[in-house]
Amino acid sequence: MVITNGIVVTADAGSRVINPGAVAIDGADIVAVDGADAIRRQFRGRETIDAGGQVVMPGLVNTHTHAPMVLFRGLADDLALDEWLTKYVFPAEAKTVSPEFVRAGTRLAALEMIESGTTTFADMYYFEEEIAKETKAAGLRGVLGETIIQFPVADAKTPAEGLAHAESFITAFRNDPLITPAVAPHAIYTNDGATLKAARALSLKYGVPTLIHMAETQSEATTARERGSPTVVAYLESLGFLGPGVVAAHAVWVNDSDMTLLKSRGVGVSHNPESNMKLASGIAPVKAYLAANVAVGLGTDGAASNNDLDMFESMRAASFLQKVATSDPTVVSAKTAVQMATIGGARALGMEKQIGSLEPGKRADVIIVSMSAARQTPMYDPISHLVYVTRGDDVQTTIVNGKVLMRNRKVQTLDRAAVLREAKTWAAKVSAAVGR
Ligand SMILES: [Zn+2]
């Protein structure tokens, strides 16, 4: 397949933009990225997609979400994290989460992600094997972490059961081309030290990522202090938890020595600006992370705290939030925001050799983004427009692993009307469960 006549935003080491450019794809792989004429001379695609002067770029990498929570979208807003979790989310989950629920939620999330240009997402939830099946069916790439949590949940009565569940999930999916199974200890305040250690040990046994909520709110440090450590990061270090393959969602409340530790241990960070703002969790020191060369990607977090999965909004929010936080309008430039949503996210997930940029030898995860809306006119700089005016709805075509999942706004792998209808049916059950 050849995608030609595009403004090709590569997100490669030189942040090259090739206009008019083209991308040649063979099976699941990118084989060439070059000027449109050069590609035309060298390749004849069985299929040619004329990008018509629109942006062709790497698919967006959402480094932190809880896909099925789209079914809790708008259920409870304007609350602090602890109240939101304990009064609404945990009770609603206790009464509704089932294999059928997560499958319906994942279909809705996948539809939204495909429609807004996300091609890879990192997930933390329950019944992750069901999420994996739906993710594969939709054609998306997922780093899917089975949740480990100290109290009884829908798919495990104890952490030991959760770990056994995670292990069978890992063995079932570890050689899958689209799914990277992972272990997801929820957070330090929802797991004791022994469970955190066991979760990390399970990840290391199979060489799969460990996803965790880390230092999301200021109060999380109380748990660390009660366990004899000054900070959340120091506590996890004392357990021997930190190392390559750990992806820390949020990492808002860190000091300088925490940051040095995260860097030296090779921990990836997922920055979730919209969720952090909505829950008033705080502002992650992204400027400092970038200066320290920590691998930072962007995430939406679950739709219940965002309330959507649009990574273009995440780019814009990351840029604006860091500017206002540091009183420096030059930080998280449009170029940096695009990098964070693509190659930075890939790096944070340890997948930079496979995805995150348009380069020969990487998987063909590619999106085509329209630049023809009134709000995008005129266009002096496509990178500026991607961050400051573009929305998920502007994505026209989404390709993952060489397969077209959406063509000219028409999703190929999901029955849109059926997915939406089913989600509304589940919403009635959720409402009944929490009395709203
Ligand atoms: Zn989260």
Side-chain angles (χ1 to χ4, degrees):
M1 182 196 299
V2 170
I3 304 168
T4 191
N5 193 23
I7 302 169
V8 177
V9 174
T10 61
D12 66 7
S15 295
R16 280 188 311 151
V17 176
I18 309 167
N19 184 18
V23 179
I25 296 167
D26 186 20
D29 301 325
I30 295 170
V31 289
V33 180
D34 208 336
D37 287 341
I39 295 286
R40 193 173 301 120
R41 281 195 295 273
Q42 240 188 311
F43 297 92
R44 183 160 304 131
R46 193 178 307 147
E47 181 186 0
T48 298
I49 296 177
D50 187 340
Q54 303 174 106
V55 164
V56 176
M57 68 181 294
L60 304 177
V61 179
N62 185 346
T63 52
H64 180 66
T65 191
H66 312 278
M69 292 186 81
V70 289
L71 293 176
F72 299 136
R73 192 194 320 265
L75 173 68
D77 298 310
D78 311 321
L79 295 167
L81 179 70
D82 54 350
E83 190 183 3
W84 176 77
L85 272 178
T86 56
K87 276 201 188 151
Y88 295 95
V89 176
F90 289 152
E93 286 180 339
K95 288 177 188 159
T96 56
V97 173
S98 64
E100 297 72 29
F101 174 93
V102 304
R103 291 186 81 130
T106 304
R107 283 193 284 270
L108 178 61
L111 180 66
E112 186 182 351
M113 288 191 276
I114 292 169
E115 287 186 339
S116 56
T118 292
T119 54
T120 295
F121 70 104
D123 194 69
M124 299 171 67
Y125 213 60
Y126 310 102
F127 299 109
E128 208 66 40
E129 70 285 355
E130 306 295 336
I131 294 172
K133 288 174 200 162
E134 292 300 334
T135 301
K136 276 175 71 73
L140 284 169
R141 198 180 296 287
V143 177
L144 308 181
E146 170 65 21
T147 291
I148 309 298
I149 204 158
Q150 209 71 33
F151 54 83
V153 288
D155 65 351
K157 288 191 185 63
T158 63
E161 244 182 63
L163 289 162
H165 191 134
E167 184 158 15
S168 63
F169 166 57
I170 292 166
T171 52
F173 284 94
R174 67 180 156 152
N175 295 314
D176 193 278
L178 290 176
I179 306 300
T180 302
V183 185
H186 177 270
I188 72 160
Y189 59 91
T190 44
N191 282 298
D192 66 22
T195 301
L196 291 165
K197 278 186 179 177
R200 181 61 181 153
L202 180 61
S203 294
L204 292 172
K205 180 178 173 186
Y206 291 97
V208 299
T210 314
L211 314 180
I212 186 168
H213 292 107
M214 185 190 289
E216 178 175 1
T217 64
Q218 198 165 17
S219 63
E220 207 174 314
T222 310
T223 306
R225 282 194 295 272
E226 283 165 8
R227 299 181 193 177
S229 293
T231 66
V232 175
V233 174
Y235 171 62
L236 287 166
E237 171 70 2
S238 78
L239 297 178
F241 188 97
L242 302 177
V246 172
V247 183
H250 307 299
V252 171
W253 296 94
V254 295
N255 61 29
D256 288 350
S257 61
D258 291 338
M259 208 172 296
T260 305
L261 257 179
L262 293 175
K263 169 63 187 158
S264 68
R265 295 288 182 239
V267 171
V269 168
S270 170
H271 175 46
N272 298 264
E274 290 177 281
S275 174
N276 294 162
M277 287 194 282
K278 184 159 184 272
L279 297 171
S281 301
I283 304 172
V286 172
K287 181 184 179 182
Y289 281 133
L290 293 171
N293 202 24
V294 172
V296 189
L298 290 181
T300 55
D301 208 346
S305 64
N306 184 304
N307 287 355
D308 62 35
L309 305 179
D310 185 342
M311 285 287 291
F312 287 92
E313 282 184 10
S314 294
M315 282 194 259
R316 188 148 56 245
S319 176
F320 287 177
L321 179 58
Q322 210 58 205
K323 291 177 196 311
V324 76
T326 59
S327 301
D328 179 357
T330 69
V331 302
V332 187
S333 64
K335 181 176 151 186
T336 302
V338 169
Q339 284 170 342
M340 287 168 73
T342 55
I343 189 66
R347 225 175 263 140
L349 297 176
M351 297 175 81
E352 69 274 21
K353 290 198 172 70
Q354 295 94 52
I355 60 166
S357 60
L358 300 182
E359 293 181 82
K362 288 198 178 183
R363 300 298 85 72
D365 293 6
V366 187
I367 60 175
I368 303 176
V369 187
S370 172
M371 285 288 150
S372 53
R375 95 190 98 75
Q376 294 165 311
T377 306
M379 178 170 65
Y380 300 104
D381 175 2
I383 304 292
S384 165
H385 270 17
L386 284 172
V387 176
Y388 298 128
V389 296
T390 298
R391 305 197 290 231
D393 290 355
D394 296 316
V395 175
Q396 298 298 308
T397 295
T398 301
I399 298 168
V400 176
N401 218 37
K403 182 177 174 185
V404 179
L405 307 187
M406 178 172 77
R407 188 186 298 273
N408 300 324
R409 293 299 299 165
K410 174 100 181 69
V411 175
Q412 312 285 305
T413 50
L414 290 156
D415 178 345
R416 190 171 200 281
V419 169
L420 300 185
R421 198 164 52 236
E422 187 182 38
K424 287 172 192 163
T425 306
W426 275 102
K429 296 179 197 177
V430 170
S431 289
V434 297
R436 275 179 93 102

